[in-house]
Amino acid sequence: MSARPARRRRASATPMPPAVTARRQPLPAGALQAMALAHLRAHPDLDFSPAELSNALGRPKSRGAIIRACHQFTAAGLAIRTQQKPQRYRAA
């Protein structure tokens, strides 16, 4: 039996733009919650939906984590839920 030569990969005709190939570094534990609470406290007269918070923090794919953080903030008395549907939160 002869060893088969390794397959050669072809170079892509068009290189991927840096925005597509670059990956965002994960945040340390608790950093997203701290960022969300800081944003709420920086704007005490405004209320935000979780989507607005995630976009303001530059983390549009972290909406679920921000929803959970907002639930924790209301349970701890750090934030107030100002509207049920759609959910909106304001710093307490």
Side-chain angles (χ1 to χ4, degrees), residues 35-53 66-67 69-84 86-92:
M35 290 167 54
L37 186 58
H39 189 76
L40 288 174
R41 287 180 175 166
H43 306 281
D45 53 334
L46 300 175
D47 56 348
F48 296 93
S49 70
E52 291 170 343
L53 272 173
I66 290 179
I67 290 171
C70 288
H71 288 287
Q72 292 172 353
F73 297 156
T74 55
L78 300 173
I80 300 167
R81 188 170 181 172
T82 60
Q83 189 174 328
Q84 294 297 321
Q87 300 177 31
R88 297 193 70 79
Y89 297 92
R90 176 184 298 164

